Structure formats: structure tokens, C-alpha cells
Amino acid sequence: MEKHGDGDDRHHAIRVPLTAPALEQDSSSSDPDLASDLDNVSLLQRASKLISTSLTAYHNKPASFWALLAVSAGAMLTAFPASSLLSRVYYDGGGQSKWILSWSAVAGWPIPALLLPACYLLLDGASPTWPPPLALCLWYALLGLLSAADNLMYAWAYAYLPASTASLVAASSLAFSAVFGRIIVKRNNRMGLATVNAIVVITAGVVIVALDSGSDGYPGITDGQYAVGFALDVLGSALHGLIFALSELAFATHLAAAAGNGASSSSSSRFFHVVLEQQAAVSLCAFAFTSVGLVVFGEGFGAMGSEAAGFAGGKGAYAIVLGWSAATFQVGVLGATGVVYLGSTVLAGVLNAVRVPVTSVAAVVWFHDPMSGFKILSLVITVWGFGSYMVGSSGAAKKTSRREIGS
């Protein structure tokens, strides 16, 4: 994806091989040679071609880019599942407040802020954006409000759904990420046949979970509560995709402003500090909104004391669960924001879907979540949808590479 400033100062947010090449050209376009190649090679060979094409296309990218992308993706794939499981630990241990769980997620907002000084020192030319322009402050406030609402929806979902089911339903965020990315960010998130196919397949997996809703409800959870949790999980996934797209658009605005102020580097890693700045500001706004909601609409901060007293393991265990919930969520969101900045909204949605099997399997092992045949089928379909996206991306990347070589 490209983000331009004024004049000759331009910053190119690097296209991530898994998505951008696949989205630049519609993979539904006819190409007999490409179709023949794809019919005669194995999945392993296609993956090898994708890697080879990626290395050829991006060999000139700095090592810092790959390091930051790897760290961001790793944070998403580890911290988000951990945060989801901790939500279930909170409820299983005796916690009941959706507002307190939502508040704990954004209570870790100082984490990205504490990392900023090191970024300013280590990244060449990085400097604080302070005071931020009014337009950027409004972006932060909007994203903070949406994040607060998203956290609350997920808190309700995990209160009524098994962790494995909630994570499978949350895989629908890929579809919303692709749609919102295409509508809001437009050319940076083209929807080729591979993307559409992955959306349809993963959505089918979510529908299968919905049809099997009667087999995995926790004791004491009514059908109405289960339906509310399921609906809010889907709405939270939609909001998640919207936040990804708006974050990418905010980065475009931010980088354009940096270019107008005389920035000259074309390396996105130099400007990676904007990821930390945005995440710190957005989380702070979400923290403020959630704190007000906890006092006005929730049980208030005093409820934490009574919950801690009756929590399994005592007050210490309660503090540990909320503390780690805050840390893991912030690390996960920070990783997702980094992926959006370095890659695209669709890539963030794809990685968000990849974490589904990790969370589902861990929930079955640790919490003994019920795993019916329908849920196993949904899990297989979700993984299949991601795999089909990768294979389609491989073909489209090869086609794009051919055209670039011939031009």
C-alpha cells in the first residue's frame, strides 16, 4: 500500500507478500499458462513459488522491516489467544462484570507509551508527533471509542460462549476486514478471487458453529444468553475489521503529514514509532471511555474488591488474571496495529483468522471445552479457507511478477 505526502517526499508502506501481490490483480482474470501451472503443482510447490516470488520482489527491503513485521505478527498470534483464554479464566474463577473485563483490556495503555522513548532513540530520524494535530486527535478519539465498544462486545461473548466457540466465530473478522479495507482504504486492499473464496469458506464455518449452538453451551447459560453472546461476537468481529481499516487510513493521514513536514526516508521502519504513538493514544482514549462506562453503566470500581474476595485463588489470583489480561491484550493489539501499518488491513484479518485454531485447541485442552463434530468441521473449514487464500495469493503473485518482468 502506498501513502503519499506532498511534493517529492513520499513514504511507501511496504506491501506484505502474503496479501498485496495477490490483491493488485484480480485472480479471477483469465491466464491459461497460470491455470495450467496451478493445476500441475502441489501445495508445497505453490508455497515455494510464493516464497521465491516474495524474496525476489522484496529483496531490497531493509532487515528492520522484516524484523518488525515478524515481531508484530508473532505478537498477534500469541498474545491474542492468551488474552482470549484469560477472559475465560476470569469468568470461570468467579468474575462476572463485563465492564471490569473490558476495562482490564485497556488498562495496559502505558505499555506502548513506555516503549516510545526507545523507539525515538533507536530509529533514525524518529521524533515525537507532539502536540498532535487536531484531526489526528479526533482519529484517536474515534478509534478509542470503537475499541472500547469492541472490547465490551467480546467481554459479553466470552461470558456466554466457550472460548473455542467464541474464537471460531471471531474468525469472521477476516471477511469484515476485507470488506471494510476495500471500501475505506480502496486500492490498498483489492479483493481478488482468493480473498472472496476465503471469506465465503470461513463464513460457512461460522454458520456451522451457529447451527450446532445447542451442543456446547455451558451449564446455567440459557439459549437466549447464548444467542446474545453469539450475536455480539459477530458484531465485535465486524467492529474489529472496521478498526483495522480505519487504523490503516489514519496511518495514511499521519504519514502524509510527516512527509509534508520534510521527512525524506522511504523506509517504513523509520516511522514505526507512529504505531506506538497511535496505540498509546487510542488505548488511553479507550481506557477513558471504559472507565466512565464502568462508573456510569457498570458496577463501579468498588466491584473489583468484592469480586477479588470471592475469586478462585483469592485476591492475588484475581490481580494476576486482570494484570495479564491487560498486558496480553495490549501486546496483541500493538502487534495487529504493526501488521496494519507494515502490511494491510486484509493481512491483519488473515492473521486474526490464523489464531483461531491456536485458541480453539488450547481451550479444549485447558478448559475441556466441548468439541463436537460440527465444531471440528468448522475448524477444518476455517483452516482450509486460510489455505485457499494462500494458494490463490501464490498464483496471483506469480502472475504479477511475470507482468513486472515483462514491462
Side-chain angles (χ1 to χ4, degrees):
M1 62 182 176
E2 299 177 353
K3 299 168 182 174
H4 302 296
D6 299 328
D8 294 330
D9 296 320
R10 298 183 177 185
H11 302 288
H12 301 272
I14 293 101
R15 292 179 180 146
V16 175
L18 297 181
T19 56
L23 302 176
E24 285 295 328
Q25 301 291 337
D26 189 346
S27 60
S28 63
S29 302
S30 59
D31 189 334
D33 294 336
L34 177 60
S36 177
D37 287 343
L38 292 178
D39 288 339
N40 295 323
V41 296
S42 66
L43 179 61
L44 180 59
Q45 288 173 317
R46 294 177 189 179
S48 298
K49 288 182 180 180
L50 174 60
I51 294 173
S52 176
T53 303
S54 300
L55 291 176
T56 300
Y58 300 100
H59 70 279
N60 61 333
K61 303 308 178 186
S64 57
F65 165 78
W66 297 109
L68 290 172
L69 180 60
V71 170
S72 298
M76 276 193 73
L77 296 178
T78 55
F80 269 151
S83 177
S84 298
L85 295 175
L86 284 167
S87 297
R88 191 64 252 168
V89 171
Y90 168 79
Y91 288 120
D92 286 351
Q96 297 180 349
S97 173
K98 287 82 174 177
W99 279 103
I100 290 178
L101 185 60
S102 301
W103 180 87
S104 70
V106 288
W109 69 265
I111 293 177
L114 292 175
L115 295 175
L116 273 171
C119 243
Y120 296 141
L121 292 174
L122 298 177
L123 296 181
D124 182 33
S127 59
T129 306
W130 189 262
L134 177 60
L136 197 56
C137 290
L138 294 177
W139 269 116
Y140 292 157
L142 173 62
L143 289 171
L145 178 61
L146 294 178
S147 296
D150 191 40
N151 295 337
L152 187 59
M153 289 180 184
Y154 278 132
W156 277 85
Y158 277 90
Y160 299 140
L161 301 178
S164 56
T165 302
S167 65
L168 284 170
V169 176
S172 60
S173 64
L174 171 58
F176 295 114
S177 296
V179 172
F180 285 127
R182 182 68 183 115
I183 294 174
I184 296 175
V185 195
K186 301 187 186 312
R187 63 173 297 183
N188 298 327
N189 294 277
R190 296 187 184 277
M191 291 180 64
L193 182 59
T195 303
V196 174
N197 179 66
I199 290 173
V200 172
V201 172
I202 291 177
T203 302
V206 175
V207 172
I208 289 174
V209 174
L211 295 175
D212 190 42
S213 60
S215 69
D216 67 345
Y218 282 144
I221 301 299
T222 66
D223 291 342
Q225 290 174 325
Y226 189 99
V228 169
F230 194 98
L232 289 177
D233 203 0
V234 173
L235 289 175
S237 299
L239 198 52
H240 214 61
L242 177 61
I243 290 171
F244 281 160
L246 291 178
S247 295
E248 186 175 353
L249 188 61
F251 281 134
T253 305
H254 198 160
L255 288 180
N261 289 332
S264 60
S265 172
S266 61
S267 171
S268 65
S269 59
R270 172 184 175 182
F271 295 94
F272 192 77
H273 66 282
V274 300
V275 173
L276 295 171
E277 288 182 340
Q278 177 167 309
Q279 185 54 37
V282 170
S283 292
L284 176 59
C285 292
F287 177 78
F289 287 128
T290 308
S291 296
V292 172
L294 176 60
V295 173
V296 177
F297 303 106
E299 304 81 0
F301 289 97
M304 292 185 184
S306 57
E307 275 195 349
F311 196 77
K315 294 182 179 180
Y318 184 81
I320 290 174
V321 169
L322 291 188
W324 276 108
S325 177
T328 54
F329 183 82
Q330 281 301 311
V331 172
V333 173
L334 184 57
T337 308
V339 169
V340 168
Y341 169 72
L342 294 169
S344 69
T345 296
V346 173
L347 177 61
V350 168
L351 290 176
N352 211 37
V354 173
R355 70 184 175 96
V356 168
V358 178
T359 308
S360 298
V361 172
V364 171
V365 173
W366 289 340
F367 302 126
H368 305 291
D369 275 6
M371 199 67 175
S372 66
F374 282 102
K375 286 175 68 174
I376 294 175
L377 177 60
S378 176
L379 179 59
V380 171
I381 286 178
T382 300
V383 175
W384 179 266
F386 171 71
S388 66
Y389 176 87
M390 292 291 294
V391 172
S393 297
S394 173
K398 182 178 179 181
K399 182 178 177 181
T400 302
S401 179
R402 283 177 177 176
R403 294 188 176 183
E404 290 176 350
I405 293 173
S407 59

